[in-house]
Amino acid sequence: MEHNSSNFIRNIIKEDLESGKHDHIITRFPPEPNGYLHIGHAKSIILNFGVADEFNGKTNLRFDDTNPVKEDIEYVNSIKEDVKWLGYEWDNLFFASNYFDEMYKRAILLIKKGLAYVDDLNADEIREYRGTLTAPGKDSPYRTRTIEENLELFERMRSGEFANGEKVLRAKIDMASPNINLRDPVIYRISHTEHHNTGNKWCIYPMYAFAHPLEDAIEGVTHSICTLEFEDQRPFYDWVVENCEMPNVPRQYEFGRLNLTNTVMSKRKLKQLVDEKFVDGWDDPRMPTISGLRRRGYTPEAIRAFCHEIGVAKTSGTVDSRMLDHFVREDLKLKAPRTMGIIKPLKVVITNYPEGEVEWLEAEINPEVPEMGTRQIPFSREIYIEQDDFMENPPKKYFRLFPGNEVRLKHAYFIKCEEVIKDQDGNVVELHCTYDPETKSGSGFTGRKVKGTLHWVEATHAVPAEFRNYQPLILDENGEDEEQEEKTFLELVNPNSLEIFQGFVEPNMKDVQPQDKYQFFRHGYYNVDPKLSTADHIVFNQIVELKSSFKI
Ligand code: ATP
Ligand code: MG
Ligand code: MG
């Protein structure tokens, strides 16, 4: 697999192997199973699995399931499916909750070394005592408890004697440290909650900042790659590994997280969109989740190419989401069969075409890939064109159909608009046209030229189909920023992000399968929706439009 040169983590790993600092590497992808994966996670997956693949290393899929409250097996299953779909295989599948015994032992070791204590302050008091960036914190009155007292109290925490929040275990480091993360961080809390893996065995759970370095060390991870917001946690990460006397010493490296324009990615916000029914589930085609992108019709190849292009840097920035669209077009250009579909049908009767006759025209499936062969499309006296391809009173330089004008029908003949049929309210309901048999596509006709080429579908054989066109779900060019308030975020939801049309496709499309992808002439790329399509009702999701002003 190709790797973008602007990947500083890859360079670190390369040097570590060349210098002999490591003779093998182990990375991990450590999602918390509290939601579905999104395109930001894809960046992390591609980075972790990508470097391991390149340097013959290993990658663990590890569920960081140390917080029993928000986690669910539904998420575990979706994460596995999404990682596989992106094209990766983990070497080991681990659950952080399987290390609870080991973590508990390490916490006791810290207590015995005088490096951890049980604190009775409540959450608000702990925050108050912690101080600020400019003011040092102050010691908790419980900080001087003896080792024996701490061992006894921690054991009583574990055995369930105390209520949630009544006591915590804290690392004993330095309440005046300039790094607030080192001001005696909490490492264990009480939570009388059943865990999806360990059931009711535990009522104390390790905090993320304590658990994560231990998980990495237990697995022998060499390069623990995480996003930039954990940079200030790195000193505590190293403190835990060292003071818990872990035999393996992993190192943490931070990279800039992916943000996309017109997209929110925090799982909390995505869950809110799902729970409050702004979308039809985590896999709604407008969602930036992997399952949403899959259902929309994005391909793993396009997502990987996109992630390689954006590279891995030590800063985060917001990437134009049209760049992702660019890569899906690039990927589908040669793969997707071309076809014609009418999204907003307007009936056209070709008055000089013999009634009851049908001829079958041959059309290339993809002119850029002749090996894909040809398809047969019927032509007869009645066809559908797009409502938007006709104007009764066109402006100058309008080359599509209008009274008296002649256009080319793709793969067929020239037709000329002779008569406009309207209903009582004056709406155009049908056009009467004539065709010129001399102009048949492929016949080499050069007698005269027309400027417009329209797509069309023969009416008597047409297969009804639903088309779903999408606009960005979030009306925010800046993408997500950490401060974005929950309320403002919901106000940014685009009320017009989904448009549904009932149209027609060529008869050879009647047996399309879920996830089949096509390029509809002039409309763009579409995917057969796997959730809504049935044997007699095909639903197409627009993946991307055909063209974009966006340039890489
Ligand atoms: P959220 O804050 O949305 O809940 P998270 O970071 O808590 O996301 P995790 O399940 O903990 O989600 O993430 C698993 C891995 O994916 C982590 O290593 C995390 O750093 C990485 N990751 C998450 N979001 C992004 C992103 N936008 N860009 C790059 N990597 C990301
Ligand atoms: Mg999280
Ligand atoms: Mg997070």
Side-chain angles (χ1 to χ4, degrees), residues 31-32 34 41 70 208 230 267:
E32 189 183 352
N34 62 349
H41 292 114
K70 296 189 229 151
Y208 178 86
F230 293 100
K267 276 185 271 190

Side-chain angles (χ1 to χ4, degrees), residues 340-366:
M340 295 194 286
I342 297 297
I343 289 182
K344 286 190 270 173
L346 174 61
K347 174 80 82 63
V348 171
V349 178
I350 298 166
T351 51
N352 61 339
Y353 197 89
E355 222 157 319
E357 196 170 300
V358 177
E359 69 181 296
W360 291 82
L361 305 167
E362 191 170 46
E364 279 174 304
I365 289 175
N366 187 334

Side-chain angles (χ1 to χ4, degrees), residues 28-45 47-48 62 64 70 79 208 212 224-230 255-260 264-270 316 480 482:
R28 86 287 174 266
F29 174 64
E32 189 183 352
N34 62 349
Y36 281 61
L37 297 182
H38 52 60
I39 181 78
H41 292 114
K43 178 176 177 180
S44 174
I45 291 168
L47 173 58
N48 278 292
R62 179 209 306 148
D64 216 325
K70 296 189 229 151
I79 289 169
Y208 178 86
H212 203 87
S224 173
I225 306 169
C226 64
T227 41
L228 220 50
E229 66 275 18
F230 293 100
F255 69 100
R257 64 193 294 125
L258 172 67
N259 286 312
L260 280 180
V264 292
M265 267 190 250
S266 130
K267 276 185 271 190
R268 186 177 47 76
K269 289 182 187 162
L270 296 177
S316 0
E480 187 166 23
E482 295 291 319

